[in-house]
Amino acid sequence: MTDGHLTSPAPLPPDQAARDAIIHERDCNVAVVAGAGTGKTKTIIDRAVELLAPRRAGVKPIGIQTMALITFTRRAAGELRFRIREHLLRQLEREAGRDERRASLLRDALGNLDAAFVGTIHGFADRLLRLRPVEAALSPAYALVEDTSELVNETFVRLRRAAEVGGLRKELGRFGAPLDATLIDEAAETLRAATRAGLQMERAETVYGSVASLEATMSRMIDTRDVAVDLCAVPDPQLDQARAAADRLAQMVKLMRGTAFGHRSVRLMARALNRLRSVVDPAEAFRIVQDGLGGRQLTKGTDFNNDDNGWSIYKAIRPQDTARGSLAEQLKGPHRWLATRLVRLFPVVRAMYERVKAEHEVVDYLDLLIKLRDLLRDNLSARRFYQSLFEHIFVDEFQDTDPLQCEIVFYLCEDTAATTSSDARGWQAVQLAPGKLTIVGDPKQSIYRFRRADIAMYGLATERLIAGGALEQRLETNFRSRPELITFFNRQLGKVLGKNDGPAFDPQTGRANYEDLLPSAVIPAAGVTVHVLPYADLQNEGLLAADGRVVEAAMLARHVRWLLDTHCKVRDSDTNEERPVQPGDIAVLAAVTTNLRLLLQEFDALGIEYSARGGALFLAHPVVRQYLLALRSLADRNDGVAEAALLRPPFFALDLSDAVIARGDKDVVADGRRARMEHALAIVATLREQRYAQSPGATARDLIERTALGRTVVTGRNGRQTLAALYEVASELDRRAAIEGRDYDAATELFRSWAEAPVFLDAPEPSGTGAVRVMTTHSAKGLEFPVVILWDGYQTFNERGGGIWHVGRDGRAWALSLGAVAIEHPAGAHVLDREKQFGDQERRRLYYVAATRARDLLVLPAPLTKSRRLQYATTELADGAELEQVRRFEPFRLERLPEWARSITPPPPRRIRSDAGLQQQLAAVRLDFQQSLAVSAQPVAVPTAVTLEATGASMGQEIDIESERARKAESGRLGPAFGSAVHRALELILAGSIDSASAAVSLASQEVGLSESL
């Protein structure tokens, strides 16, 4: 009853029977297929609590200490633990005074929740291995490293250096002992040959993404080192055959007529390949063939004027022609030779990586899985010990489980009564104990192949579970999205992914079939829930991608401002009531981050605050990259680029002329420029001296606060989010230094490399609701947003590039694709074709994940293009959706804006009041800030030994326990003042308006005692 009126219970979802079966099943294992937004986390929690405190009397409960809940990310694990505690408390409140038996079980579960394992698979493996480190051949004090990029780079550098000087055997040391000496010598020659062949050796990035390189290939080999690869013998380079093919081409060219571009190109190819006659080095032959056949792909009509003779000659030698007996195939002898040699580097790369880790005394995440899997597989006593620890195991996001994780789970859930000591050496021979395993997944959301996720393994494991009698249930009711969005998904995503009445996953094609979602009866209809935004050039014709993305960025930024200005309605996540959209309700999701900077610049121009996270977005921000260089300048004064980054805005109000004049005639005053430079150098000198007396992070924060950086950034566009990013970098510096044992100088050497090549680093969550979230679709998985905008209408469903090293789980079939160096073993295994097909299907699933994050509105850019051959992803997703819930806007053109975009103008520049009262407030805020900082640095709770309290008096030590408790309480009260002071400082600085960033810097500098020029 509410306000005197009876309230009817919420209608049950159509799939409530499936949910009840999942929650109450105890006699067999459970496999749940949960579509997007279907409440799988709640169902997992309901099942877990039912196992812990069954409602039916006489049913044996499970102790929470013997339950494991494994999920994909630390964020998801934290949310899962929180929601379990919350649900237990609600159930306990409900059962208090009604069912004391169940209430007692709930209290016990609550009291022991911290003893239960709720976390990631890597944390799970780490916890188990530390129980039996000797059997796992691990030091009890091993250090765990998450980011292996530095270890991989060191492995690559040491291999190359040792090969160049002829000392690879010595460099490998004892780690090379299991390898044949001739294989090591061969590896050294292969590395030298790769250099002579002109292969891309080091990692490299372009505006189009990563370039295939030998270093990246080695990284992939290291990621698959759990597989024993079946190496094949090195083939003959077939130089004679290549020379004969070049001679044949020369004879054919003599008979060729025509002077078009294609004819001239073929003649140049023949002339370049003629150099093969005098070559004896296969690596040099490879380079000649590559140089000779290089250039863009030619076409018959445009390049050969439809000449059949010239076109047939070109087709015979173009790289795509691998038909047996073709000239192209005969020219590829050196390519097959080099490719096989590169594959045979695999065991040597693995050995060097092991040495590098041993020297640093670390293990990586894959090591945890390998060692735990091996221990469970090979040591029956250890397997029985670990199995006894758990009565039930939940695995969430099972579609993202890699093969090792799957094997570990199967070993732990083995039915010991049905398996003898001679059985189950391999995971596929394991018979699962009934009622011990619950898996939850959605094959349509499998998008992590680059992290070793294997959807084929998901299909195989699920099939074995069901064949063993597991209960399979599907969750279909979507509690996230509006009913109109569900209709759109069922129609459009069904076309993108494909629909049929067969299994959810096809292991032959890698396709995860779409299964319709059902709308929730508690979510009201909203009418239009999809915005399709076409864009074109002035003539309303298609645009090429380079030009089109500029137009799309301007269009989407204006559309965000339009949504905010028109007060578009969304549902509040807490009350489910409609309210005007806020910036924090909007998420821009990108398949790749390569061109996102175009959009972020438009956001800046329109005064739209945003938080960019995912991929390398965080570190790619120009101010963040300059900050990374400035951090390094404090450690290395000889780094000219870093010093130039530091001694200019936004750190100091200096320019190149100031530096020149300051180093010139000492009698020249130059309008205070010398004084400004000297003051800046004094601050820098102080920071350099103090870096030895405090933590690296403290120095990094001083660089923000003691220069003009923080004040300039916070008064600029997107100020609060950018300042938060800088503080996050300072925090990361502290974290890295602590974990890896680095001082400030060593840590900033790493950060210096990040300035040139940003790496993946998660940004902090946006402050409040005032920032649009910009992130990759991978980062958004598991989240939901009222408004979702998909970025880059020029992305396709075809995976670009794909992987460079692929190996089957049995190691018998593998493929290498390193630019022109491509080979697969055994011949005809079609490994590359399969990987390409699986990659394309995952690309389609990526858009399923992105679209289904939307709660109220989905925005799709739809470019008009000049290419009729390409089908762009967002265009295909919107194509044919002539439904009532879809609104197609007038085409957007920069030269002639549509009506909806004409009123969008940049906000006026902010001004800051320069009255004396504000100056006094700033001074007070600074004092409050310093006091709060001192208080917050004190621990809120100081542990006191019980024995000390008990024996203090007898030892002649008077301990005023009440005073100590009061001090702790005061610390706890004042601790939040630190955050409040920061908030008040930001509000004061942003109050009013400012003419320029330098005006704000000048005003703030006067209050903090810095030079007026800063």
Side-chain angles (χ1 to χ4, degrees), residues 34-40 445 477-481 517 784 852-853:
T38 54
K40 67 179 179 63
Q445 298 190 61
T477 305
N478 181 291
F479 300 101
R480 173 184 298 159
S481 303
L517 296 169
E784 60 181 57
T852 55
R853 301 308 97 193

Side-chain angles (χ1 to χ4, degrees), residues 147-434:
D147 183 1
T148 62
S149 57
E150 293 177 68
L151 299 175
V152 172
N153 178 258
E154 183 177 342
T155 300
F156 173 72
V157 170
R158 290 176 68 166
L159 280 171
R160 286 196 69 189
R161 185 180 299 131
E164 289 169 0
V165 301
L168 186 54
R169 287 194 203 180
K170 181 179 179 181
E171 184 70 14
L172 287 172
R174 65 182 178 85
F175 295 92
L179 304 179
D180 188 278
T182 57
L183 184 63
I184 298 175
D185 294 340
E186 177 194 299
E189 172 54 30
T190 299
L191 290 167
R192 295 191 290 267
T195 302
R196 297 196 305 273
L199 292 183
Q200 176 66 42
M201 302 298 283
E202 296 87 3
R203 290 181 186 270
E205 297 286 335
T206 70
V207 294
Y208 302 105
S210 300
V211 177
S213 65
L214 184 57
E215 183 180 0
T217 303
M218 289 186 180
S219 178
R220 286 291 300 150
M221 288 179 171
I222 289 170
D223 284 343
T224 57
R225 64 186 185 276
D226 56 309
V227 179
V229 176
D230 183 13
L231 301 177
C232 63
V234 180
D236 182 85
Q238 299 176 328
L239 294 182
D240 290 339
Q241 191 178 72
R243 296 188 191 103
D247 290 339
R248 283 180 57 197
L249 176 62
Q251 295 301 318
M252 294 166 67
V253 166
K254 289 180 181 179
L255 303 175
M256 183 178 66
R257 299 292 181 265
T259 59
F261 176 79
H263 298 97
R264 298 195 302 272
S265 298
V266 171
R267 291 188 180 97
L268 289 174
M269 292 177 185
R271 189 180 307 165
L273 293 173
N274 188 53
R275 292 161 41 204
L276 286 172
R277 293 180 178 179
S278 59
V279 171
V280 295
D281 179 11
E284 180 63 21
F286 169 87
R287 181 194 287 269
I288 291 172
V289 173
Q290 281 304 105
D291 292 344
L293 301 182
R296 68 174 177 85
Q297 186 173 341
L298 305 180
T299 60
K300 181 178 180 180
T302 303
D303 299 307
F304 287 92
N305 290 334
N306 289 313
D307 174 47
D308 291 332
N309 183 41
W311 177 244
S312 65
I313 295 174
Y314 171 69
K315 284 202 305 180
I317 61 172
R318 62 180 179 175
Q320 292 80 6
D321 188 356
T322 57
R324 187 172 183 85
S326 67
L327 292 181
E329 195 272 340
Q330 294 173 14
L331 288 169
K332 289 298 181 69
H335 292 61
R336 289 187 292 272
W337 172 87
L338 183 57
T340 307
R341 292 285 293 257
L342 292 176
V343 171
R344 289 170 62 84
L345 287 173
F346 184 85
V348 179
V349 171
R350 185 170 52 190
M352 180 62 79
Y353 184 68
E354 294 301 324
R355 168 159 190 172
V356 169
K357 287 188 301 176
E359 290 182 357
H360 289 281
E361 298 182 338
V362 297
V363 297
D364 64 16
Y365 279 4
L366 184 55
D367 285 324
L368 297 179
L369 301 183
I370 292 174
K371 290 184 178 295
L372 181 56
R373 188 278 309 270
D374 291 350
L375 185 60
L376 291 169
R377 182 191 62 194
D378 303 332
N379 189 325
L380 187 61
S381 172
R383 191 196 305 184
R384 294 291 183 258
F385 166 75
Y386 286 126
Q387 289 167 347
S388 68
L389 299 178
F390 303 103
E391 292 184 79
H392 200 89
I393 296 178
F394 289 84
V395 184
D396 191 14
E397 304 288 1
F398 194 71
Q399 77 280 348
D400 293 321
T401 299
D402 84 359
L404 282 177
Q405 298 170 14
C406 182
E407 293 181 45
I408 289 169
V409 169
F410 269 61
Y411 283 127
L412 290 175
C413 295
E414 178 186 22
D415 185 353
T416 58
T419 308
T420 64
S421 60
S422 61
D423 294 332
R425 281 281 295 177
W427 74 277
Q428 290 178 293
V430 167
Q431 297 185 48
L432 296 175

Side-chain angles (χ1 to χ4, degrees), residues 101-158:
R101 177 196 63 84
R102 189 163 189 258
S104 176
L105 293 173
L106 291 168
R107 280 193 291 270
D108 182 71
L110 269 171
N112 293 286
L113 178 58
D114 290 335
F117 182 84
V118 183
T120 65
I121 183 64
H122 299 103
F124 183 63
D126 183 33
R127 181 168 175 176
L128 296 187
L129 286 171
R130 290 186 187 276
L131 298 176
R132 306 287 286 260
V134 176
E135 289 99 323
L138 277 170
S139 166
Y142 64 82
L144 183 61
V145 60
E146 181 175 355
D147 183 1
T148 62
S149 57
E150 293 177 68
L151 299 175
V152 172
N153 178 258
E154 183 177 342
T155 300
F156 173 72
V157 170
R158 290 176 68 166

Side-chain angles (χ1 to χ4, degrees), residues 840-871:
D840 290 349
Q841 288 297 324
E842 180 172 278
R843 187 81 165 184
R844 291 178 177 272
R845 296 194 294 272
L846 192 68
Y847 280 86
Y848 166 86
V849 172
T852 55
R853 301 308 97 193
R855 301 178 72 236
D856 301 292
L857 178 64
L858 176 65
V859 180
L860 301 174
L864 296 175
T865 66
K866 292 184 176 180
S867 173
R868 302 303 178 195
R869 296 177 300 166
L870 293 175
Q871 183 67 38

Side-chain angles (χ1 to χ4, degrees), residues 659-718:
V660 173
I661 292 176
R663 295 178 180 178
D665 188 350
K666 294 184 179 181
D667 295 331
V668 178
V669 178
D671 299 326
R673 294 186 184 183
R674 183 188 302 281
R676 289 199 296 269
M677 175 60 77
E678 290 177 349
H679 196 88
L681 293 177
I683 293 176
V684 172
T686 300
L687 291 173
R688 281 175 173 158
E689 291 174 2
Q690 292 179 345
R691 76 184 194 273
Y692 298 116
Q694 58 187 5
S695 72
T699 299
R701 288 185 286 274
D702 283 347
L703 182 60
I704 299 172
E705 297 160 4
R706 300 185 64 178
T707 68
L709 175 62
R711 296 182 295 280
T712 304
V713 165
V714 81
T715 55
R717 301 292 193 196
N718 201 43

